[in-house]
PDB file of all heavy atoms in Angstrom:
ATOM      1  N   GLY A   1      69.730 -22.504 -25.377  1.00 69.00           N
ATOM      2  CA  GLY A   1      71.007 -23.156 -25.578  1.00 69.00           C
ATOM      3  C   GLY A   1      72.217 -22.265 -25.537  1.00 69.00           C
ATOM      4  O   GLY A   1      73.323 -22.710 -25.819  1.00 69.00           O
ATOM      5  N   GLY A   2      72.096 -20.999 -25.181  1.00 64.00           N
ATOM      6  CA  GLY A   2      73.253 -20.119 -25.142  1.00 64.00           C
ATOM      7  C   GLY A   2      73.342 -19.356 -23.840  1.00 64.00           C
ATOM      8  O   GLY A   2      72.647 -19.658 -22.864  1.00 64.00           O
ATOM      9  N   ASP A   3      74.233 -18.342 -23.826  1.00 61.00           N
ATOM     10  CA  ASP A   3      74.400 -17.524 -22.635  1.00 61.00           C
ATOM     11  C   ASP A   3      73.357 -16.422 -22.540  1.00 61.00           C
ATOM     12  O   ASP A   3      73.322 -15.687 -21.562  1.00 61.00           O
ATOM     13  CB  ASP A   3      75.803 -16.890 -22.629  1.00 61.00           C
ATOM     14  CG  ASP A   3      76.901 -17.925 -22.413  1.00 61.00           C
ATOM     15  OD1 ASP A   3      76.568 -19.010 -21.923  1.00 61.00           O
ATOM     16  OD2 ASP A   3      78.067 -17.642 -22.753  1.00 61.00           O
ATOM     17  N   ARG A   4      72.515 -16.282 -23.556  1.00 72.00           N
ATOM     18  CA  ARG A   4      71.467 -15.261 -23.548  1.00 72.00           C
ATOM     19  C   ARG A   4      70.095 -15.917 -23.546  1.00 72.00           C
ATOM     20  O   ARG A   4      69.234 -15.624 -24.367  1.00 72.00           O
ATOM     21  CB  ARG A   4      71.641 -14.321 -24.748  1.00 72.00           C
ATOM     22  CG  ARG A   4      72.949 -13.549 -24.693  1.00 72.00           C
ATOM     23  CD  ARG A   4      73.108 -12.572 -25.833  1.00 72.00           C
ATOM     24  NE  ARG A   4      74.332 -11.799 -25.657  1.00 72.00           N
ATOM     25  CZ  ARG A   4      74.441 -10.661 -24.987  1.00 72.00           C
ATOM     26  NH1 ARG A   4      73.360 -10.155 -24.407  1.00 72.00           N
ATOM     27  NH2 ARG A   4      75.581 -10.023 -24.873  1.00 72.00           N
ATOM     28  N   SER A   5      69.938 -16.822 -22.600  1.00 78.00           N
ATOM     29  CA  SER A   5      68.694 -17.590 -22.537  1.00 78.00           C
ATOM     30  C   SER A   5      67.770 -17.125 -21.423  1.00 78.00           C
ATOM     31  O   SER A   5      66.618 -17.537 -21.365  1.00 78.00           O
ATOM     32  CB  SER A   5      69.007 -19.081 -22.343  1.00 78.00           C
ATOM     33  OG  SER A   5      69.725 -19.281 -21.135  1.00 78.00           O
ATOM     34  N   ALA A   6      68.264 -16.273 -20.516  1.00 80.00           N
ATOM     35  CA  ALA A   6      67.442 -15.846 -19.382  1.00 80.00           C
ATOM     36  C   ALA A   6      66.474 -14.748 -19.802  1.00 80.00           C
ATOM     37  O   ALA A   6      66.829 -13.844 -20.568  1.00 80.00           O
ATOM     38  CB  ALA A   6      68.330 -15.347 -18.248  1.00 80.00           C
ATOM     39  N   VAL A   7      65.243 -14.836 -19.328  1.00 83.00           N
ATOM     40  CA  VAL A   7      64.239 -13.800 -19.587  1.00 83.00           C
ATOM     41  C   VAL A   7      63.650 -13.354 -18.251  1.00 83.00           C
ATOM     42  O   VAL A   7      63.611 -14.105 -17.280  1.00 83.00           O
ATOM     43  CB  VAL A   7      63.116 -14.301 -20.517  1.00 83.00           C
ATOM     44  CG1 VAL A   7      63.639 -14.493 -21.926  1.00 83.00           C
ATOM     45  CG2 VAL A   7      62.509 -15.602 -19.999  1.00 83.00           C
ATOM     46  N   THR A   8      63.184 -12.103 -18.221  1.00 79.00           N
ATOM     47  CA  THR A   8      62.694 -11.492 -16.996  1.00 79.00           C
ATOM     48  C   THR A   8      61.199 -11.239 -17.093  1.00 79.00           C
ATOM     49  O   THR A   8      60.710 -10.768 -18.130  1.00 79.00           O
ATOM     50  CB  THR A   8      63.421 -10.157 -16.734  1.00 79.00           C
ATOM     51  OG1 THR A   8      64.825 -10.395 -16.720  1.00 79.00           O
ATOM     52  CG2 THR A   8      63.000  -9.562 -15.399  1.00 79.00           C
ATOM     53  N   GLY A   9      60.488 -11.552 -16.034  1.00 80.00           N
ATOM     54  CA  GLY A   9      59.057 -11.305 -15.998  1.00 80.00           C
ATOM     55  C   GLY A   9      58.738  -9.835 -16.201  1.00 80.00           C
ATOM     56  O   GLY A   9      59.414  -8.958 -15.659  1.00 80.00           O
ATOM     57  N   GLY A  10      57.700  -9.549 -16.981  1.00 76.00           N
ATOM     58  CA  GLY A  10      57.308  -8.172 -17.244  1.00 76.00           C
ATOM     59  C   GLY A  10      57.822  -7.642 -18.566  1.00 76.00           C
ATOM     60  O   GLY A  10      57.372  -6.591 -19.025  1.00 76.00           O
ATOM     61  N   THR A  11      58.761  -8.357 -19.190  1.00 81.00           N
ATOM     62  CA  THR A  11      59.230  -7.960 -20.518  1.00 81.00           C
ATOM     63  C   THR A  11      58.307  -8.567 -21.578  1.00 81.00           C
ATOM     64  O   THR A  11      57.535  -9.479 -21.293  1.00 81.00           O
ATOM     65  CB  THR A  11      60.685  -8.391 -20.750  1.00 81.00           C
ATOM     66  OG1 THR A  11      60.795  -9.817 -20.580  1.00 81.00           O
ATOM     67  CG2 THR A  11      61.609  -7.725 -19.744  1.00 81.00           C
ATOM     68  N   ARG A  12      58.409  -8.084 -22.830  1.00 82.00           N
ATOM     69  CA  ARG A  12      57.413  -8.442 -23.840  1.00 82.00           C
ATOM     70  C   ARG A  12      58.072  -9.039 -25.084  1.00 82.00           C
ATOM     71  O   ARG A  12      59.109  -8.554 -25.541  1.00 82.00           O
ATOM     72  CB  ARG A  12      56.603  -7.194 -24.233  1.00 82.00           C
ATOM     73  CG  ARG A  12      55.419  -7.449 -25.149  1.00 82.00           C
ATOM     74  CD  ARG A  12      54.602  -6.161 -25.295  1.00 82.00           C
ATOM     75  NE  ARG A  12      55.398  -5.099 -25.860  1.00 82.00           N
ATOM     76  CZ  ARG A  12      55.571  -4.899 -27.178  1.00 82.00           C
ATOM     77  NH1 ARG A  12      54.959  -5.707 -28.046  1.00 82.00           N
ATOM     78  NH2 ARG A  12      56.306  -3.908 -27.618  1.00 82.00           N
ATOM     79  N   VAL A  13      57.463 -10.101 -25.600  1.00 87.00           N
ATOM     80  CA  VAL A  13      57.941 -10.720 -26.837  1.00 87.00           C
ATOM     81  C   VAL A  13      57.446  -9.891 -28.025  1.00 87.00           C
ATOM     82  O   VAL A  13      56.246  -9.679 -28.190  1.00 87.00           O
ATOM     83  CB  VAL A  13      57.440 -12.174 -26.959  1.00 87.00           C
ATOM     84  CG1 VAL A  13      57.826 -12.749 -28.321  1.00 87.00           C
ATOM     85  CG2 VAL A  13      58.018 -13.030 -25.841  1.00 87.00           C
ATOM     86  N   VAL A  14      58.389  -9.415 -28.827  1.00 83.00           N
ATOM     87  CA  VAL A  14      58.045  -8.566 -29.970  1.00 83.00           C
ATOM     88  C   VAL A  14      57.754  -9.407 -31.209  1.00 83.00           C
ATOM     89  O   VAL A  14      56.827  -9.114 -31.971  1.00 83.00           O
ATOM     90  CB  VAL A  14      59.192  -7.564 -30.259  1.00 83.00           C
ATOM     91  CG1 VAL A  14      58.866  -6.717 -31.495  1.00 83.00           C
ATOM     92  CG2 VAL A  14      59.434  -6.674 -29.052  1.00 83.00           C
ATOM     93  N   SER A  15      58.556 -10.451 -31.425  1.00 79.00           N
ATOM     94  CA  SER A  15      58.355 -11.276 -32.616  1.00 79.00           C
ATOM     95  C   SER A  15      58.655 -12.734 -32.295  1.00 79.00           C
ATOM     96  O   SER A  15      59.354 -13.038 -31.322  1.00 79.00           O
ATOM     97  CB  SER A  15      59.265 -10.800 -33.751  1.00 79.00           C
ATOM     98  OG  SER A  15      60.629 -11.013 -33.421  1.00 79.00           O
ATOM     99  N   ASP A  16      58.120 -13.634 -33.098  1.00 82.00           N
ATOM    100  CA  ASP A  16      58.348 -15.070 -32.977  1.00 82.00           C
ATOM    101  C   ASP A  16      57.761 -15.606 -31.667  1.00 82.00           C
ATOM    102  O   ASP A  16      56.827 -15.026 -31.118  1.00 82.00           O
ATOM    103  CB  ASP A  16      59.847 -15.388 -33.091  1.00 82.00           C
ATOM    104  CG  ASP A  16      60.423 -14.897 -34.402  1.00 82.00           C
ATOM    105  OD1 ASP A  16      60.047 -15.454 -35.451  1.00 82.00           O
ATOM    106  OD2 ASP A  16      61.234 -13.945 -34.385  1.00 82.00           O
ATOM    107  N   TRP A  17      58.320 -16.700 -31.157  1.00 86.00           N
ATOM    108  CA  TRP A  17      57.792 -17.327 -29.947  1.00 86.00           C
ATOM    109  C   TRP A  17      58.918 -18.031 -29.205  1.00 86.00           C
ATOM    110  O   TRP A  17      59.968 -18.339 -29.775  1.00 86.00           O
ATOM    111  CB  TRP A  17      56.702 -18.346 -30.279  1.00 86.00           C
ATOM    112  CG  TRP A  17      57.194 -19.424 -31.225  1.00 86.00           C
ATOM    113  CD1 TRP A  17      57.147 -19.407 -32.583  1.00 86.00           C
ATOM    114  CD2 TRP A  17      57.859 -20.649 -30.857  1.00 86.00           C
ATOM    115  NE1 TRP A  17      57.719 -20.537 -33.106  1.00 86.00           N
ATOM    116  CE2 TRP A  17      58.169 -21.322 -32.072  1.00 86.00           C
ATOM    117  CE3 TRP A  17      58.215 -21.239 -29.653  1.00 86.00           C
ATOM    118  CZ2 TRP A  17      58.815 -22.553 -32.093  1.00 86.00           C
ATOM    119  CZ3 TRP A  17      58.857 -22.473 -29.670  1.00 86.00           C
ATOM    120  CH2 TRP A  17      59.147 -23.123 -30.882  1.00 86.00           C
ATOM    121  N   ILE A  18      58.711 -18.253 -27.925  1.00 88.00           N
ATOM    122  CA  ILE A  18      59.669 -18.992 -27.097  1.00 88.00           C
ATOM    123  C   ILE A  18      58.916 -19.840 -26.087  1.00 88.00           C
ATOM    124  O   ILE A  18      57.792 -19.518 -25.700  1.00 88.00           O
ATOM    125  CB  ILE A  18      60.639 -18.056 -26.342  1.00 88.00           C
ATOM    126  CG1 ILE A  18      59.862 -16.951 -25.612  1.00 88.00           C
ATOM    127  CG2 ILE A  18      61.702 -17.488 -27.255  1.00 88.00           C
ATOM    128  CD1 ILE A  18      60.729 -16.053 -24.757  1.00 88.00           C
ATOM    129  N   LYS A  19      59.559 -20.938 -25.709  1.00 90.00           N
ATOM    130  CA  LYS A  19      59.067 -21.737 -24.588  1.00 90.00           C
ATOM    131  C   LYS A  19      60.007 -21.496 -23.414  1.00 90.00           C
ATOM    132  O   LYS A  19      61.222 -21.654 -23.542  1.00 90.00           O
ATOM    133  CB  LYS A  19      59.024 -23.219 -24.957  1.00 90.00           C
ATOM    134  CG  LYS A  19      57.972 -23.548 -26.013  1.00 90.00           C
ATOM    135  CD  LYS A  19      57.933 -25.034 -26.339  1.00 90.00           C
ATOM    136  CE  LYS A  19      56.889 -25.329 -27.422  1.00 90.00           C
ATOM    137  NZ  LYS A  19      56.859 -26.784 -27.777  1.00 90.00           N
ATOM    138  N   VAL A  20      59.415 -21.110 -22.293  1.00 90.00           N
ATOM    139  CA  VAL A  20      60.195 -20.683 -21.132  1.00 90.00           C
ATOM    140  C   VAL A  20      59.976 -21.645 -19.972  1.00 90.00           C
ATOM    141  O   VAL A  20      58.838 -21.978 -19.632  1.00 90.00           O
ATOM    142  CB  VAL A  20      59.793 -19.250 -20.706  1.00 90.00           C
ATOM    143  CG1 VAL A  20      60.559 -18.827 -19.460  1.00 90.00           C
ATOM    144  CG2 VAL A  20      60.027 -18.268 -21.846  1.00 90.00           C
ATOM    145  N   LYS A  21      61.087 -22.074 -19.367  1.00 90.00           N
ATOM    146  CA  LYS A  21      61.018 -22.877 -18.149  1.00 90.00           C
ATOM    147  C   LYS A  21      61.099 -21.937 -16.956  1.00 90.00           C
ATOM    148  O   LYS A  21      62.063 -21.192 -16.799  1.00 90.00           O
ATOM    149  CB  LYS A  21      62.171 -23.879 -18.100  1.00 90.00           C
ATOM    150  CG  LYS A  21      62.144 -24.783 -16.870  1.00 90.00           C
ATOM    151  CD  LYS A  21      63.302 -25.769 -16.899  1.00 90.00           C
ATOM    152  CE  LYS A  21      63.275 -26.676 -15.668  1.00 90.00           C
ATOM    153  NZ  LYS A  21      64.406 -27.645 -15.705  1.00 90.00           N
ATOM    154  N   VAL A  22      60.066 -21.940 -16.117  1.00 88.00           N
ATOM    155  CA  VAL A  22      60.006 -21.034 -14.969  1.00 88.00           C
ATOM    156  C   VAL A  22      61.108 -21.386 -13.969  1.00 88.00           C
ATOM    157  O   VAL A  22      61.295 -22.557 -13.619  1.00 88.00           O
ATOM    158  CB  VAL A  22      58.624 -21.100 -14.286  1.00 88.00           C
ATOM    159  CG1 VAL A  22      58.589 -20.233 -13.033  1.00 88.00           C
ATOM    160  CG2 VAL A  22      57.533 -20.677 -15.273  1.00 88.00           C
ATOM    161  N   THR A  23      61.844 -20.359 -13.509  1.00 85.00           N
ATOM    162  CA  THR A  23      62.930 -20.583 -12.544  1.00 85.00           C
ATOM    163  C   THR A  23      62.694 -19.883 -11.213  1.00 85.00           C
ATOM    164  O   THR A  23      63.440 -20.111 -10.263  1.00 85.00           O
ATOM    165  CB  THR A  23      64.268 -20.091 -13.125  1.00 85.00           C
ATOM    166  OG1 THR A  23      64.158 -18.692 -13.447  1.00 85.00           O
ATOM    167  CG2 THR A  23      64.657 -20.869 -14.369  1.00 85.00           C
ATOM    168  N   ALA A  24      61.678 -19.026 -11.128  1.00 80.00           N
ATOM    169  CA  ALA A  24      61.466 -18.241  -9.906  1.00 80.00           C
ATOM    170  C   ALA A  24      60.196 -18.665  -9.185  1.00 80.00           C
ATOM    171  O   ALA A  24      59.181 -18.971  -9.806  1.00 80.00           O
ATOM    172  CB  ALA A  24      61.391 -16.757 -10.245  1.00 80.00           C
ATOM    173  N   LYS A  25      60.272 -18.658  -7.855  1.00 78.00           N
ATOM    174  CA  LYS A  25      59.091 -18.918  -7.042  1.00 78.00           C
ATOM    175  C   LYS A  25      58.228 -17.656  -7.002  1.00 78.00           C
ATOM    176  O   LYS A  25      58.735 -16.546  -7.191  1.00 78.00           O
ATOM    177  CB  LYS A  25      59.492 -19.312  -5.625  1.00 78.00           C
ATOM    178  CG  LYS A  25      60.241 -20.629  -5.525  1.00 78.00           C
ATOM    179  CD  LYS A  25      60.590 -20.935  -4.073  1.00 78.00           C
ATOM    180  CE  LYS A  25      61.348 -22.249  -3.949  1.00 78.00           C
ATOM    181  NZ  LYS A  25      61.728 -22.543  -2.548  1.00 78.00           N
ATOM    182  N   PRO A  26      56.931 -17.774  -6.726  1.00 75.00           N
ATOM    183  CA  PRO A  26      56.074 -16.587  -6.608  1.00 75.00           C
ATOM    184  C   PRO A  26      56.611 -15.638  -5.539  1.00 75.00           C
ATOM    185  O   PRO A  26      56.970 -16.063  -4.440  1.00 75.00           O
ATOM    186  CB  PRO A  26      54.716 -17.183  -6.200  1.00 75.00           C
ATOM    187  CG  PRO A  26      54.741 -18.586  -6.729  1.00 75.00           C
ATOM    188  CD  PRO A  26      56.166 -19.037  -6.591  1.00 75.00           C
ATOM    189  N   GLY A  27      56.696 -14.361  -5.886  1.00 70.00           N
ATOM    190  CA  GLY A  27      57.196 -13.370  -4.935  1.00 70.00           C
ATOM    191  C   GLY A  27      58.702 -13.303  -4.840  1.00 70.00           C
ATOM    192  O   GLY A  27      59.244 -12.492  -4.093  1.00 70.00           O
ATOM    193  N   GLU A  28      59.400 -14.165  -5.597  1.00 70.00           N
ATOM    194  CA  GLU A  28      60.859 -14.172  -5.549  1.00 70.00           C
ATOM    195  C   GLU A  28      61.460 -13.985  -6.936  1.00 70.00           C
ATOM    196  O   GLU A  28      62.545 -14.467  -7.233  1.00 70.00           O
ATOM    197  CB  GLU A  28      61.372 -15.478  -4.938  1.00 70.00           C
ATOM    198  CG  GLU A  28      60.978 -15.668  -3.488  1.00 70.00           C
ATOM    199  CD  GLU A  28      61.539 -16.946  -2.891  1.00 70.00           C
ATOM    200  OE1 GLU A  28      62.374 -17.592  -3.553  1.00 70.00           O
ATOM    201  OE2 GLU A  28      61.147 -17.292  -1.769  1.00 70.00           O
TER     202      GLU A  28
END
């Protein structure tokens, strides 16, 4: 719900949990 909602593949969740909606196609 904010401007810091984007996450990048390969990064790691340290605490808590999130539900992520995939925005990238495979290889892109």
Side-chain angles (χ1 to χ4, degrees):
D3 291 341
R4 297 183 176 271
S5 60
V7 290
T8 305
T11 57
R12 187 172 60 86
V13 174
V14 177
S15 66
D16 302 292
W17 57 270
I18 50 175
K19 292 181 181 179
V20 177
K21 182 179 180 180
V22 176
T23 58
K25 295 180 180 178
E28 296 182 9

